């Protein structure tokens, strides 16, 4: 369990970026952290494995205080994938990139296992190629594949859908779904409301360094929190929202599943959750 | 926690006299002060000059913290210079002179470099007759110190997040530990420079065509006053200190 208690942090003492964050993320949960640009999402994520230390308050991961626990110890438990994937690569081939990451945790992996891992994400043809020769989207999905390769208890994804085409988005959706089924915790910080709406997940909205809303991803469709904090709904959801306002539709479940394939998924999961 | 002092590398414009002065005037003052400091061997002049330069930067530039930070960064080198001289001369005064000289030269150069933006720096060099390719390369390099430091911080964060340990093992192993930091930084730097070159070309950059600047440097009476008063202050410091030393002797 991750417990964030009254977290205050600023890169400059006078300008705090995070202003008293209180958050609890349970085991096996999927949490979406949404917020406008500069709201403090990435800064919050960097506190989870101790890359940044709080100015005030505490962050605890399974009872381990991030101020006193080394990052290398926390990294095995909590795997963070940052926005720019190319900053992680240094090995000449994709295969060595996987091996080098796992060797940091004294874990071994065979070539066959690496091929199987890459096959899951459709990247097996790049096994002996340089990770720098991959496209931006492929690099991102490769980073996610590598950082999830040892099934860390907590996987944290920072803007994972940027630059991903439909196929890779679907693979990412499956990956998150699989982790949920296995009981692993996943935290996703994103602007992509359409992607968040695919999941029956916990929702946290950050604005100006404060948590302004905590609820469920489906709350995004009919809650004012979206317009208020610079988050923009997908077009189909806007249309549904207007119909909801005019009384044509009365329940969120009525208007899910009307327009697109994504809304069908939302509808199905909505029914499951209620 | 591996945190780089990113703020120290970023150029910030402050509302002070030094930031508004023509860079050519500042460059002249900086050069004269640095040359004078390098050529003088009088301990009293160096001590007074140290105080004067500090006040100059603090009052006219409002950069007390930056100046102090620079001195703190320089301190280990100053101590080494002092100790090395002391071992040879066994004289505190003779050892103090090169140590304070070093601080004074850096502070003199700070008058120009801490208060001049990369754009102004490039314009100053252009006015002095340097070719555009050199001035552009220099201003871009200064600008990219901050950008690349930020990239370096992000690379360190990414490598630590994947369980990489930086400060473990023998000295050789510790140096090897930095390979995952250096390799991405080099690749990203080269890629960034190619991108900048492509952007410049797509924006019609051509070294053979004479450019018409949107902002031109103008030397006003304020700049002349600053230049003259700074030189006069130095002459006064030199004259009064020498007079006092002779008088006391």
């Amino acid at each position: 369990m991750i417990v964030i208690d009254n977290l205050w942090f600023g890169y400059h003492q006078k300008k705090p970026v995070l202003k008293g964050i209180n958050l609890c993320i349970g085991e096996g949960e999927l949490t979406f952290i949404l917020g406008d640009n500069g709201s403090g999402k990435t800064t919050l994520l960097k506190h989870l494995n101790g890359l940044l230390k709080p100015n005030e308050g505490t962050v605890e991961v399974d009872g381990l205080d991030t101020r006193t626990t080394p990052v290398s110890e926390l990294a095995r438990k909590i795997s963070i994938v940052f926005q720019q994937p190319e900053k992680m690569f240094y090995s000449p081939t994709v295969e060595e990139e996987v091996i080098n990451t796992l060797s940091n945790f004294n874990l071994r992996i065979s070539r066959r296992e690496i091929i199987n891992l890459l096959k899951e994400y459709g990247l097996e043809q790049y096994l002996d190629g340089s990770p720098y020769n991959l496209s931006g989207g492929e690099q991102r999905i490769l980073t996610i594949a590598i950082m999830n390769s040892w099934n860390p208890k907590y996987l944290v994804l920072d803007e994972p859908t940027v630059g991903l085409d439909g196929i890779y988005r679907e693979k990412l959706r499956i990956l998150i779904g699989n982790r949920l089924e296995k009981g692993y915790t996943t935290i996703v910080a994103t602007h992509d409301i359409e992607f968040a709406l695919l999941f029956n997940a916990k929702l946290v909205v950050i604005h100006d360094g404060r948590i302004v809303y905590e609820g469920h991803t489906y709350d995004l469709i009919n809650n004012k929190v979206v317009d208020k904090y610079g988050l923009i709904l997908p077009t189909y959801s806007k249309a549904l929202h207007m119909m909801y306002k005019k009384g044509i539709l009365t329940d969120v479940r009525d208007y899910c599943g009307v327009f697109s394939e994504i809304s069908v998924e939302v509808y199905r999961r909505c029914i499951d959750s209620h | 926690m591996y945190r780089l002092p990113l703020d120290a590398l970023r150029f910030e414009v402050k509302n002070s006299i030094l930031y508004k002065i023509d860079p050519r005037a500042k460059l002249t003052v900086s050069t004269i002060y640095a040359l004078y400091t390098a050529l003088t061997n009088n301990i009293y002049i160096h001590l007074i000059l140290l105080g004067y330069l500090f006040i100059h930067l603090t009052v006219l530039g409002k950069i007390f913290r930056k100046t102090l930070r620079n001195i703190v960064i320089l301190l280990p080198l100053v101590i080494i210079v002092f100790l090395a001289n002391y071992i040879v001369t066994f004289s505190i005064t003779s050892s103090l002179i090169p140590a304070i000289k070093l601080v004074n030269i850096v502070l003199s150069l700070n008058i120009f470099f801490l208060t001049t933006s990369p754009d102004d720096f490039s314009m100053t060099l252009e006015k002095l007759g340097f070719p555009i390719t050199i001035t552009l390369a220099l201003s871009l390099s200064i600008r990219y110190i901050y950008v690349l430091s930020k990239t370096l911080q992000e690379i360190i964060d990414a490598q630590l997040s994947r369980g990489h340990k930086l400060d473990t093992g023998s000295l050789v192993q510790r140096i090897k530990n930095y390979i995952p930091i250096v390799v991405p930084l080099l690749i990203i730097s080269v890629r960034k420079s190619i991108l900048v070159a492509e952007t410049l070309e797509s924006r019609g950059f051509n070294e053979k065509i004479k450019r018409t600047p949107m902002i031109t440097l103008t030397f006003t009476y304020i700049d002349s006053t600053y230049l003259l008063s700074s030189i006069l202050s130095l002459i006064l410091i030199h004259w009064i200190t020498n007079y006092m030393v002779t008088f006391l002797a």
Side-chain angles (χ1 to χ4, degrees), chain A residues 35-63:
Chain A
D36 45 352
N37 285 330
S39 57
K41 298 189 295 290
T42 304
T43 308
L44 175 64
L45 298 187
K46 282 185 180 177
H47 278 85
L48 300 181
N49 68 351
L51 284 174
L52 295 175
K53 313 285 182 195
N55 294 143
E56 258 181 64
T58 53
V59 179
E60 284 184 5
V61 179
D62 290 344

Side-chain angles (χ1 to χ4, degrees), chain B residues 8 50 53-55 57-58 62-76 103 106-107 110 114:
Chain B
L50 178 68
L53 285 169
F54 209 81
I55 294 165
L57 287 162
T58 310
K62 290 184 185 170
I63 43 172
F64 174 74
R65 275 193 181 182
K66 270 193 175 178
T67 312
L68 204 67
R69 194 189 288 151
N70 277 4
I71 292 175
V72 170
I73 293 167
L74 201 68
L75 215 56
V103 178
V106 171
L107 288 181
N110 277 356
L114 284 188

Side-chain angles (χ1 to χ4, degrees), chain A residues 2 4 18 21 23-25 30-36 39-46 48 155-160 186-193 196 201-207 210-215 217 220 231:
Chain A
I2 299 171
I4 302 168
L18 301 175
I21 300 271
L23 184 64
C24 190
I25 297 167
L30 171 61
T31 308
F32 274 86
I33 300 174
L34 266 65
D36 45 352
S39 57
K41 298 189 295 290
T42 304
T43 308
L44 175 64
L45 298 187
K46 282 185 180 177
L48 300 181
L155 179 69
V156 182
L157 306 171
D158 192 2
E159 299 289 358
T186 312
I187 301 158
V188 185
T190 184
H191 288 105
D192 195 340
I193 294 179
K202 183 178 172 178
L203 169 75
V204 176
V205 179
I206 297 185
H207 178 71
R210 288 189 174 89
I211 291 178
V212 288
Y213 188 81
E214 260 190 272
T217 40
L220 284 166
L231 301 166

Side-chain angles (χ1 to χ4, degrees), chain A residues 49-116:
Chain A
N49 68 351
L51 284 174
L52 295 175
K53 313 285 182 195
N55 294 143
E56 258 181 64
T58 53
V59 179
E60 284 184 5
V61 179
D62 290 344
L64 296 170
D65 192 332
T66 57
R67 286 174 303 182
T68 49
T69 315
V71 180
S72 53
E73 197 182 322
L74 287 164
R76 185 164 184 162
K77 262 181 197 295
I78 186 158
S79 171
I80 300 186
V81 183
F82 289 109
Q83 283 182 43
Q84 290 99 351
E86 77 277 9
K87 284 171 184 162
M88 201 185 88
F89 303 134
Y90 67 94
S91 310
T93 64
V94 170
E95 183 188 7
E96 282 178 63
E97 202 64 59
V98 180
I99 294 169
N100 285 335
T101 306
L102 289 169
S103 68
N104 286 336
F105 306 110
N106 296 324
L107 297 169
R108 284 169 192 273
I109 188 166
S110 67
R111 190 175 163 88
R112 185 177 292 277
E113 282 170 322
I114 296 172
I115 293 168
N116 288 338

Side-chain angles (χ1 to χ4, degrees), chain A residues 12 46 49 51-53 71-72 75 82 84 87-90 97 101 104-105 132 147, chain B residues 1 3 7 151 154-155 157-165 180 183-184 187-188 191:
Chain A
H12 312 272
K46 282 185 180 177
N49 68 351
L51 284 174
L52 295 175
K53 313 285 182 195
V71 180
S72 53
F82 289 109
Q84 290 99 351
K87 284 171 184 162
M88 201 185 88
F89 303 134
Y90 67 94
E97 202 64 59
T101 306
N104 286 336
F105 306 110
Y132 278 100
M147 295 302 273
Chain B
M1 201 163 63
R3 295 280 118 197
D7 284 337
T151 308
E154 282 163 3
I155 292 168
D157 285 350
Q159 297 302 346
L160 292 175
S161 295
R162 70 194 278 196
H164 189 74
K165 297 177 194 83
V183 172
I187 294 170
I188 290 167
R191 284 190 168 192

Side-chain angles (χ1 to χ4, degrees), chain A residues 163-263:
Chain A
L164 292 191
D165 62 17
I167 296 164
Y168 285 127
R169 272 172 81 95
E170 182 57 16
K171 286 185 191 298
L172 183 64
R173 193 186 70 80
I174 293 168
L175 175 142
I176 295 171
N178 286 343
R179 281 187 61 84
L180 258 177
E181 278 173 23
K182 287 176 189 167
Y184 296 127
T185 309
T186 312
I187 301 158
V188 185
T190 184
H191 288 105
D192 195 340
I193 294 179
E194 205 165 320
F195 188 70
L197 280 169
L198 289 172
F199 298 95
N200 175 9
K202 183 178 172 178
L203 169 75
V204 176
V205 179
I206 297 185
H207 178 71
D208 192 25
R210 288 189 174 89
I211 291 178
V212 288
Y213 188 81
E214 260 190 272
H216 193 275
T217 40
Y218 298 147
D219 297 346
L220 284 166
I221 297 173
N222 58 2
N223 199 287
K224 285 177 184 173
V225 77
V226 170
D227 297 329
K228 207 172 169 184
Y229 300 113
L231 301 166
I232 295 166
L233 273 178
T235 318
Y236 79 91
S237 298
K238 276 185 184 170
L240 294 168
H241 189 55
M242 275 174 67
M243 288 163 80
Y244 181 74
K245 268 186 173 175
K246 288 184 178 174
I248 301 166
L249 298 163
T250 51
D251 193 320
V252 66
R253 278 169 294 176
D254 292 338
Y255 65 71
C256 287
V258 179
F259 286 99
S260 69
E261 205 177 303
I262 291 164
S263 55

